[in-house]
Amino acid sequence: MTDRAIRILIAKPGLDGHDRGAKVIARALRDAGFEVIYTGLRQTPEMIAEAALQEDVDVVGLSILSGAHQTLVPVIRQTMNAHDLADVPLILGGIIPEQDHAEMAQAGVEAIFGPGTSTADIVTTIRRIVAERGEPTA
Amino acid sequence: MTDSAPSLAAAVLSGSRRALARALTWVENEHPDSAALLSTLYPHGGRAWVVGITGAPGTGKSSLVTALALRLRQQGETVAILAVDPTSPFTGGAILGDRIRMRDLSGDSGVFIRSMATRGSLGGLIRVLDAAGFDRVLVETVGAGQSEVDIARAAQTTVVVEAPGLGDDVQAIKAGILEIADVLAVNKADRAGAENTVRALRAMLELGHPTQRNRMVNHHGQRMSAEAPTQDDHEAELWVPPLVRTVATREATPENDGIGDLLDAIDRHRAHLTHADGDKLRQRQRGRIEGELLDRLSHALMARLLAALPAGTLEAAIDDVQSRQRSPHHAVQSLLDSAGKAAQPNGV
Ligand SMILES: Nc1nc2c(ncn2[C@@H]2O[C@H](COP(=O)(O)OP(=O)(O)O)[C@@H](O)[C@H]2O)c(=O)[nH]1
Ligand SMILES: [Mg+2]
């Protein structure tokens, strides 16, 4: 059970037209031994919550480049909570201005990864966040 | 979240999707209580028709599963989908991307989609979905290596998907995959070259792939001694995999996308197996159950035996065989003896 792979949903909400960054992260996480569920572009909050629930993921990672994080993130967090997924942590990647970080934390985001973050850092942080929640299946 | 097998099973049976998702995780990860969970769920299964969809990457399996699921939903059937993607052999990680193609199924509470890497027990996962009450379970697997045989064992109807333009010429279409096909789908029928793929498959089918021959021989060998098969009997016994052209992508007009034909072929296969009160299906199930029980028994016996061996016995046996003091045959005999002695309550 200890070698169980971390399952993460990588979702791209909103109207961003490309997902190169999200795919790079997905590959890096796969190479770190994660199971990455990737759902493609333009995911609605409902789609994200539904996929997170069905896939029983340990964590949800959002990639937002459009600048719409202030509207999207709180809705996604609430939709997940409404699906009984309040215990599933949310992390955020993309271009999130420094001054919005506190607001994102308020909205329930546990970590923010800017464009410069190394994949090693991302992997370590996700591992820590998941470990803090405890083994979900135990 | 529920954390005991009985309460999780109860929640699954009462229709909780969160519980279902968690139950699948338990089974996939071989959670210590997953055997108890599966045992509790087992009596509630046996209703779902399990369809395996297998083929090379890019042939359009995920798209086809989506199109099939949409059609089944129109008919009022509930659908569970298991999408299996291979694990990276180097890291044990995986990118599970089949949901990208299944977008059109989102927001439908009659559909449940689960992605998994090729590890864990496909059979167990199917049993959970079956017990949860879905009418159909569609299982997408990449047709490579062992997984295609596994799916043929777990599914009631196996659809093998081929498509033009993947370098899949006559030689590349593996004979092995034809042997497990109950239905053949040539997807991307809108593409140039589809007719070549159809012709290549037809040719292989007409040559009579080995399974088909064996079935006939067995059939006659077994039945002839007891009673001569009537024409009816014969028709019921022999299943020749139908070949269906499909276009799985949305752009196609539903009237000629072949999805209805595919579903039809699947349902004819189902009728074939359940024909005459499901005799054939029961036979097939018995064979599979026997295989599973023997498998599990040999695992359990082996585990018990290894546990009963005094420490170092196996290593000593390996040494003896390596130095040619004992043959492997004799080494096994003495291993069985020492395991037997160790298992005696008072020693001998
Ligand atoms: N032209 C055409 N393209 C298709 C068809 N079915 C699937 N595709 C495309 O083929 C690619 C692979 O499809 P996918 O369903 O992911 O295949 P899988 O890897 O077998 O699951 C995608 O770009 C699909 O849009 C079809 O019937 N016709
Ligand atoms: Mg696929």
Side-chain angles (χ1 to χ4, degrees):
Chain A
M1 295 282 299
T2 44
D3 61 350
R4 179 183 107 69
I6 291 176
R7 278 169 77 85
I8 181 169
L9 173 69
I10 298 284
K12 274 204 70 71
L15 302 175
D16 305 0
H18 80 80
D19 57 356
R20 212 173 311 128
K23 282 180 172 162
V24 169
I25 295 297
R27 276 194 288 272
L29 294 178
R30 175 200 59 195
D31 293 343
F34 289 41
E35 284 180 14
V36 182
I37 290 102
Y38 187 65
T39 48
L41 293 166
R42 300 198 178 88
Q43 299 288 298
T44 65
E46 273 298 330
M47 289 165 109
I48 292 169
E50 182 182 49
L53 184 144
Q54 294 177 357
E55 301 290 353
D56 195 20
V57 293
D58 301 306
V59 52
V60 172
L62 303 175
S63 163
I64 305 179
L65 303 171
S66 59
H69 50 276
Q70 282 163 304
T71 41
L72 288 171
V73 170
V75 179
I76 290 168
R77 182 71 266 178
Q78 281 154 26
T79 310
M80 284 175 62
N81 295 354
H83 279 77
D84 195 19
L85 296 171
D87 59 338
V88 178
L90 201 57
I91 61 175
L92 182 57
I95 303 158
I96 315 295
E98 195 65 45
Q99 69 264 23
D100 295 349
H101 283 208
E103 184 185 336
M104 290 294 97
Q106 198 69 43
V109 171
E110 304 210 5
I112 297 176
F113 305 112
T117 322
S118 77
T119 53
D121 278 352
I122 297 178
V123 167
T124 312
T125 306
I126 296 174
R127 286 224 167 93
R128 178 178 51 72
I129 289 172
V130 171
E132 278 166 4
R133 299 284 164 142
E135 176 65 51
T137 61
Chain B
M1 181 83 215
T2 340
D3 59 357
S4 79
S7 58
L8 188 55
V12 168
L13 293 172
S14 76
S16 158
R17 291 160 79 80
R18 184 84 209 270
L20 173 57
R22 182 53 48 90
L24 293 169
T25 303
W26 274 31
V27 172
E28 193 181 5
N29 292 332
E30 292 171 8
H31 182 283
D33 292 335
S34 63
L37 176 72
L38 282 168
S39 295
T40 312
L41 292 177
Y42 190 73
H44 300 274
R47 281 196 331 112
W49 195 257
V50 182
V51 181
I53 314 276
T54 193
T59 47
K61 299 177 296 298
S62 298
S63 311
L64 214 46
V65 163
T66 307
L68 274 176
L70 287 170
R71 198 62 60 99
L72 287 164
R73 291 297 296 136
Q74 282 168 14
Q75 299 181 6
E77 293 190 43
T78 54
V79 183
I81 296 171
L82 267 182
V84 186
D85 255 338
T87 309
S88 155
F90 304 112
T91 67
I95 295 181
L96 308 175
D98 291 316
R99 292 186 83 102
I100 296 173
R101 309 263 174 251
M102 300 182 183
R103 210 185 158 84
D104 291 352
L105 298 171
S106 60
D108 182 348
S109 61
V111 175
F112 191 100
I113 305 169
R114 180 64 170 245
S115 318
M116 62 179 285
T118 41
R119 65 184 174 86
S121 146
L122 201 53
L125 296 173
I126 291 170
R127 278 179 187 159
V128 172
L129 293 166
D130 182 9
F134 291 95
D135 298 314
R136 301 263 179 164
V137 180
L138 307 180
V139 187
E140 173 186 346
T141 57
V142 177
Q146 186 56 31
S147 65
E148 70 211 19
V149 180
D150 287 348
I151 186 54
R153 221 178 270 146
Q156 278 131 0
T157 300
T158 300
V159 178
V160 169
V161 186
E162 297 283 351
L166 294 160
D168 249 7
D169 56 37
V170 195
Q171 279 80 16
I173 296 172
K174 289 179 294 162
I177 210 157
L178 282 184
E179 283 178 33
I180 62 160
D182 298 311
V183 175
L184 284 160
V186 172
N187 190 41
K188 308 195 185 181
D190 54 325
R191 288 269 187 87
E195 283 317 301
N196 287 336
T197 309
V198 169
R199 257 195 304 279
L201 284 172
R202 279 252 160 79
M204 291 189 77
L205 281 175
E206 271 158 29
L207 280 172
H209 58 82
T211 315
Q212 206 175 314
R213 281 231 173 104
N214 287 343
R215 274 184 203 153
M216 274 205 267
V217 170
N218 284 342
H219 165 70
H220 287 285
Q222 281 170 5
R223 299 291 301 257
M224 295 283 272
S225 54
E227 49 173 327
T230 65
Q231 185 59 32
D232 250 302
D233 246 344
H234 191 86
E235 298 236 321
E237 291 284 331
L238 187 67
W239 174 259
V240 180
L243 191 154
V244 185
R245 294 175 183 76
T246 57
V247 182
T249 35
R250 231 179 345 219
E251 295 84 53
T253 43
E255 302 82 61
N256 58 10
D257 63 3
I259 303 302
D261 298 337
L262 176 57
L263 200 49
D264 228 49
I266 293 168
D267 285 343
R268 268 187 289 127
H269 181 248
R270 178 182 192 163
H272 162 79
L273 286 179
T274 50
H275 174 85
D277 294 332
D279 222 33
K280 206 183 303 287
L281 187 61
R282 260 195 304 280
Q283 276 310 112
R284 198 159 131 150
Q285 280 167 344
R286 286 196 70 83
R288 287 176 183 185
I289 291 170
E290 182 180 6
E292 178 179 348
L293 293 187
L294 291 177
D295 250 25
R296 286 181 184 279
L297 195 58
S298 68
H299 274 113
L301 281 176
M302 181 62 99
R304 186 180 286 184
L305 187 124
L306 289 177
L309 275 184
T313 324
L314 183 60
E315 286 69 22
I318 295 171
D319 290 343
D320 289 351
V321 173
Q322 192 168 27
S323 63
R324 301 211 172 249
Q325 280 174 305
R326 260 190 242 245
S327 72
H329 178 83
H330 282 143
V332 165
Q333 284 303 325
S334 70
L335 282 174
L336 283 174
D337 286 348
S338 16
K341 283 203 190 94
Q344 301 283 328
N346 305 313
V348 179

